[in-house]
């Protein structure tokens, strides 16, 4: 509420501002005590506050009272009030709109079409709030979460039976334990990664971004984290219930996805390494289409790891219960496609084979017959959203010599986080110069410092899984980068500039997405969501309404998770009106440069509530 009047009123206004600042600070303190308990409930609030004291600093540079007129009148207008959102039926507790099992079964089985994204039409969208399961608790903090997941959060035991002898997952009372094993690494992911590291420079920052196809519960990505490698893992939503859900509960980046007929939602030349550990993808099928798609997203000089069938088929065909002739043909097909792609085999031992993509096209001369090669159109390499996969080969960017890395050589991580990305220095992102890139970095360092004064838990480890819904050049993720957390950088398909390749060159990860549709993840998989300019972007585009986007944010946000909106004040007023009936608590904050800046910050926290009515809501 904006206060107006004489000097006495001004003093009252000042007091109200201080009260609100202290109030929100204490709100986050209490919330932190709540969340540090690890059980998502408020039974330890009094104990925590008594123990530590509510030492809430007043922040004079941030004003939690908005400086614009009309907000109170608009909120009091009955005709303008949004509808109340009721909880969805409990059967939707793990609802994934675009990978719904019932809808999936109506699509063809060939080439995994039925496991691709199939989003509901407008008339079938749910306009309700997805409930958390009864007994839901706050996940354990990293690194404990790597090894333990509360049973109540994903109560599915199928994998503990189906993968019992493979050391994937074990059920122990009220938690699942993840020993770090896998089908191809029963002795543990660490030892398996050690074997890869004897060939691949995993430990010196050269390899930073990785892709894990058919990831299972993502133990490979989980154990790469200690080596400063961040893996984008994906697996379909299939009969092995909750693979991707388990991965995200563990605090490992993952999405629901499959190699079928549609291109992967990543830019070309994104990953330093790709991995398949018995992922059951028919790499030699469809003229090598899947392997060629992996090649598209691999940087020049990157590595591809294949472990399991058909590697070492001569010794394993009986154990795999596969005809040796089929396995032999399968490996021969892979070898032939790798030759077309101009990959060099670096290693084969036991059931592991490693290839390296050459650094430029000059290195390919004499290695393949270019007259017989079907090259992709350069304009289509990053045009991937719902675009059909093609059995074409992504051409290298031009290189002036045989030892030049096509597309530009990257600095080792973490130096590459703020080094100028080759896509920018080379001018391939229209309108973004080296100077504007550096200005953007400085701007986001300033913004994140302001966020940390508002929410003191931003860099404490409380928020592990973070999403930036409109990532731009990745400045937000770079400014908060820490071993305690990771950020899923989303570049909307309607964004003015395609910047996802820049984000990967910085050593960050991300994905293309259209926010008019459901995100490829389970409910309750993100601790913190950052939304900068998202609602202005979609409000201007008019493709979908703000309500649908906010309901999707609610679906993927954990109970007691936080959201930071940064947008024009008029847009945030619309947003605030909707979230006030979504069981979220929210406060509007002035821009860190003062009340005259039209861009504001809206900070929100999702209340804790579950199936059966257990709630922190006062409504």
């Amino acid at each position: 509420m904006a206060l107006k009047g004489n000097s006495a009123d001004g003093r009252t206004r000042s007091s109200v501002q201080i009260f609100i600042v202290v109030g929100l600070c204490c709100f986050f303190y209490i919330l932190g005590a709540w969340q540090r308990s690890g059980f998502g409930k408020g039974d330890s609030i009094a104990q925590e506050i008594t123990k530590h004291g509510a030492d809430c600093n007043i922040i004079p540079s941030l004003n939690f009272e908005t400086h614009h007129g009309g907000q109170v009148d608009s909120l009091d207008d009955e005709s303008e009030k949004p509808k109340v959102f009721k909880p969805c039926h409990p059967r939707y507790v793990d609802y994934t709109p675009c990978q719904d099992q019932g809808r999936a079964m109506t699509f063809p089985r060939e080439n995994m079409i039925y496991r691709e994204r199939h989003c509901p039409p407008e008339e079938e969208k749910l306009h309700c709030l997805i409930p958390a399961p009864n007994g839901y608790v706050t996940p354990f903090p990293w690194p404990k979460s790597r090894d333990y997941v509360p049973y109540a959060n994903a109560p599915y035991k199928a994998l503990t039976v189906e993968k019992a002898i493979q050391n994937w997952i074990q059920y122990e009372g009220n938690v699942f334990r993840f020993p770090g094993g896998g089908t191809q690494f029963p002795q543990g992911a660490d030892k398996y990664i050690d074997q890869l590291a004897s060939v691949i420079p995993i430990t010196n920052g050269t390899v930073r971004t990785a892709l894990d196809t058919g990831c299972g519960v993502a133990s490979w990505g989980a154990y790469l984290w200690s080596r400063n490698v961040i893996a984008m893992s994906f697996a379909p939503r299939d009969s092995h219930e909750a693979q991707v859900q388990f991965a995200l509960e563990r605090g490992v980046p993952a999405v629901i996805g499959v190699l079928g007929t549609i291109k992967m939602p990543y830019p070309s030349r994104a990953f330093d390494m790709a991995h398949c550990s018995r992922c059951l993808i028919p790499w030699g099928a469809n003229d090598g289409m899947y392997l060629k798609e992996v090649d598209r997203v691999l940087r020049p000089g990157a590595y591809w790891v294949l472990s399991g069938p058909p590697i070492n088929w001569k010794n394993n065909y009986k154990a795999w219960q596969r005809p040796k002739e089929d396995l032999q043909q399968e490996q021969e097909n892979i070898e032939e496609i790798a030759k077309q792609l101009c990959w060099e085999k670096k290693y084969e031992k036991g059931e592991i084979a490693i290839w390296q993509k050459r650094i430029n096209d000059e290195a390919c001369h004499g290695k393949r017959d270019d007259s017989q090669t079907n090259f992709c159109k350069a304009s289509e390499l990053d045009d991937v959203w719902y675009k059909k996969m093609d059995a074409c080969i992504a051409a290298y960017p031009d290189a002036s010599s045989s030892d030049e890395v096509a597309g530009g050589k990257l600095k080792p991580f973490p130096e590459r986080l703020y080094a100028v990305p080759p896509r920018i220095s080379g001018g391939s992102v229209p309108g973004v110069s080296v100077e504007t890139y550096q200005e953007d970095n400085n701007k986001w360092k300033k913004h994140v410092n302001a966020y940390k004064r508002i929410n003191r838990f931003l860099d404490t480890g409380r928020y592990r899984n973070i999403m930036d819904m409109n990532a731009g050049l990745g400045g937000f993720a770079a400014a908060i980068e820490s071993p305690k957390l990771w950020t899923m950088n989303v570049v909307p398909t309607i964004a003015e500039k395609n910047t996802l390749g820049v984000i990967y060159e910085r050593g960050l990860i991300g994905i293309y997405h259209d926010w008019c549709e459901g995100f490829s993840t389970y409910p309750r998989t993100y601790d913190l969501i950052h939304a900068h300019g998202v609602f202005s972007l979609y409000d201007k585009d008019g493709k979908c309404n703000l309500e649908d986007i906010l309901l999707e944010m609610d679906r993927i946000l954990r109970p007691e998770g936080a959201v930071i909106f940064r947008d024009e004040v008029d847009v945030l007023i619309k947003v605030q009106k909707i979230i006030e009936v979504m069981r979220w608590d929210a406060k509007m904050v002035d821009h860190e440069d003062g009340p005259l800046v039209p861009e504001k910050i809206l900070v929100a926290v999702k209340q804790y509530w579950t199936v059966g009515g257990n709630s922190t809501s006062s409504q």
Side-chain angles (χ1 to χ4, degrees):
M1 179 182 296
L3 302 179
K4 301 178 180 179
N6 57 26
S7 59
D9 288 332
R11 287 192 295 272
T12 302
R13 175 178 180 172
S14 177
S15 299
V16 170
Q17 292 169 355
I18 292 173
F19 173 78
I20 295 172
V21 172
V22 175
L24 190 58
C25 174
C26 291
F27 167 69
F28 275 114
Y29 185 91
I30 293 171
L31 179 65
W34 213 332
Q35 295 167 331
R36 282 194 298 271
S37 69
F39 294 97
K41 299 178 182 179
D43 53 356
S44 62
I45 292 178
Q47 178 181 352
E48 286 287 340
I49 293 207
T50 301
K51 181 178 178 181
H52 297 287
D55 180 17
C56 296
N57 298 320
I58 296 174
I59 311 162
S61 61
L62 290 179
N63 186 353
F64 287 78
E65 194 69 40
T66 55
H67 291 73
H68 51 81
Q71 183 177 10
V72 175
D73 292 339
S74 64
L75 289 175
D76 288 341
D77 186 347
E78 292 293 332
S79 64
E80 298 260 340
K81 286 185 177 180
K83 63 184 179 184
V84 173
F85 297 103
K86 296 181 179 179
C88 302
H89 190 279
R91 70 174 175 272
Y92 293 110
V93 70
D94 286 326
Y95 181 60
T96 55
C98 299
Q99 288 90 7
D100 178 66
Q101 293 286 69
R103 185 177 298 104
M105 298 309 294
T106 66
F107 289 88
R109 296 293 189 100
E110 65 265 21
N111 293 328
M112 300 291 281
I113 292 173
Y114 75 116
R115 296 214 185 278
E116 293 183 316
R117 288 176 58 86
H118 302 290
C119 300
E122 188 65 34
E123 62 273 15
E124 293 182 19
K125 287 183 178 179
L126 296 182
H127 292 280
C128 51
L129 304 176
I130 302 294
N134 191 25
Y136 177 87
V137 299
T138 303
F140 299 111
W142 184 269
K144 184 177 180 180
S145 66
R146 186 193 70 179
D147 302 327
Y148 295 95
V149 165
Y151 171 77
N153 292 12
Y156 306 112
K157 296 182 181 179
L159 282 175
T160 66
V161 177
E162 195 158 341
K163 303 294 183 181
I165 64 172
Q166 295 167 359
N167 221 22
W168 275 32
I169 178 174
Q170 298 172 2
Y171 174 63
E172 299 179 355
N174 63 347
V175 299
F176 289 111
R177 186 169 72 88
F178 296 83
T183 306
Q184 288 302 127
F185 35 95
Q187 273 71 51
D190 257 340
K191 289 187 177 179
Y192 176 82
I193 293 170
D194 283 341
Q195 190 172 356
L196 303 184
S198 68
V199 181
I200 302 171
I202 288 175
T203 59
N204 65 3
T206 301
V207 170
R208 163 63 178 176
T209 57
L211 178 69
D212 193 11
T213 58
C215 66
V217 295
S219 287
W220 187 71
Y223 279 82
L224 278 172
W225 192 264
S226 64
R227 305 174 195 235
N228 219 9
V229 176
I230 184 168
M232 172 72 79
S233 302
F234 70 82
R237 178 164 187 169
D238 61 7
S239 58
H240 302 159
E241 290 202 52
Q243 290 184 85
V244 167
Q245 190 175 23
F246 278 131
L248 286 154
E249 285 292 320
R250 298 175 73 184
V252 181
V255 292
I256 302 171
V258 65
L259 275 172
T261 66
I262 304 299
K263 293 179 181 179
M264 291 187 287
Y266 314 115
S268 59
R269 310 193 318 274
F271 296 98
D272 301 313
M273 173 170 55
H275 173 256
C276 162
S277 173
R278 205 164 188 170
C279 61
L280 306 180
I281 295 171
W283 295 112
N286 299 325
D287 194 25
M289 183 170 69
Y290 303 132
L291 209 49
K292 291 172 182 176
E293 175 65 359
V294 169
D295 178 74
R296 180 185 69 82
V297 301
L298 282 180
R299 287 187 48 75
Y303 298 85
W304 185 59
V305 180
L306 175 61
S307 65
I311 305 302
N312 200 16
W313 58 269
K314 292 179 182 179
N315 294 323
N316 291 301
Y317 72 93
K318 290 183 179 178
W320 292 335
Q321 298 181 339
R322 296 264 311 274
K324 61 180 180 180
E325 296 79 12
D326 290 355
L327 289 163
Q328 180 181 5
Q329 185 62 54
E330 188 176 334
Q331 179 151 359
E332 288 177 357
N333 289 344
I334 291 171
E335 301 282 5
E336 179 59 33
I337 296 160
K339 183 179 178 182
Q340 292 179 32
L341 295 171
C342 201
W343 292 1
E344 180 184 2
K345 182 177 268 190
K346 306 294 287 189
Y347 178 89
E348 182 172 337
K349 185 176 181 180
E351 295 176 22
I352 298 176
I354 301 174
W355 286 262
Q356 184 177 19
K357 181 174 179 175
R358 297 182 189 272
I359 62 171
N360 60 38
D361 200 43
E362 291 292 319
C364 292
H365 288 167
K367 306 295 182 183
R368 66 184 179 202
D369 183 357
D370 285 353
S371 65
Q372 301 297 316
T373 302
N374 175 27
F375 287 103
C376 308
K377 294 179 181 178
S379 61
E380 297 176 352
L381 292 182
D382 291 345
D383 184 15
V384 300
W385 189 246
Y386 284 117
K387 296 300 172 66
K388 289 287 185 181
M389 205 183 301
D390 191 9
C392 61
I393 295 176
Y396 286 92
D398 291 336
S400 59
S401 65
S402 60
D403 58 356
E404 179 185 352
V405 178
K409 185 176 182 179
L410 297 181
K411 303 281 188 183
F413 194 84
E415 188 179 351
R416 76 168 71 165
L417 187 63
Y418 280 105
V420 178
R423 278 173 167 89
I424 290 178
S425 59
S428 61
V429 183
V432 180
S433 65
V434 172
E435 292 72 21
T436 54
Y437 167 73
Q438 292 169 339
E439 289 169 3
D440 187 77
N441 286 332
N442 292 333
K443 177 183 73 174
W444 281 107
K445 288 177 182 177
K446 179 179 178 181
H447 288 341
V448 167
N449 283 335
Y451 294 160
K452 289 177 180 178
R453 293 196 295 270
I454 298 168
N455 183 341
R456 290 166 51 186
F457 304 100
L458 189 60
D459 61 352
T460 63
R462 168 59 190 89
Y463 305 122
R464 169 69 180 174
N465 302 357
I466 297 178
M467 173 180 283
D468 191 354
M469 294 177 66
N470 186 19
L473 298 171
F476 168 77
I480 63 168
E481 202 280 327
S482 164
K484 301 173 186 175
L485 55 85
W486 60 270
T487 302
M488 180 68 75
N489 291 282
V490 180
V491 173
T493 56
I494 65 169
E496 181 183 350
K497 294 180 176 66
N498 179 4
T499 55
L500 193 52
V502 169
I503 288 168
Y504 274 94
E505 288 182 343
R506 301 186 71 168
L508 305 168
I509 59 167
I511 196 167
Y512 295 112
H513 183 64
D514 181 356
W515 285 112
C516 293
E517 301 181 357
F519 194 75
S520 293
T521 191
Y522 283 82
R524 303 172 302 281
T525 45
Y526 285 88
D527 305 301
L528 175 74
I529 298 176
H530 181 248
H532 170 236
V534 174
F535 294 90
S536 287
L537 180 66
Y538 279 89
D539 200 30
K540 179 181 178 181
D541 181 76
K543 187 179 175 183
C544 57
N545 61 55
L546 307 189
E547 177 184 297
D548 284 345
I549 301 174
L550 286 164
L551 285 171
E552 176 61 7
M553 292 173 69
D554 182 81
R555 184 185 76 86
I556 67 177
L557 185 66
R558 294 192 190 280
E560 300 176 346
V563 180
I564 301 172
F565 301 91
R566 178 180 286 270
D567 219 314
E568 297 296 313
V569 63
D570 292 339
V571 174
L572 290 185
I573 291 173
K574 295 178 185 178
V575 170
Q576 188 169 18
K577 287 166 60 179
I578 298 172
I579 66 176
E580 284 179 348
V581 291
M582 284 176 56
R583 304 194 186 197
W584 290 17
D585 298 313
K587 291 289 184 182
M588 190 84 78
V589 183
D590 274 330
H591 190 283
E592 57 267 19
D593 288 340
L596 299 181
V597 180
E599 184 178 81
K600 305 291 179 184
I601 304 166
L602 181 63
V603 183
V605 176
K606 179 178 175 178
Q607 296 167 0
Y608 176 92
W609 63 280
T610 66
V611 170
N614 190 1
S615 175
T616 58
S617 174
S618 59
Q619 299 176 356

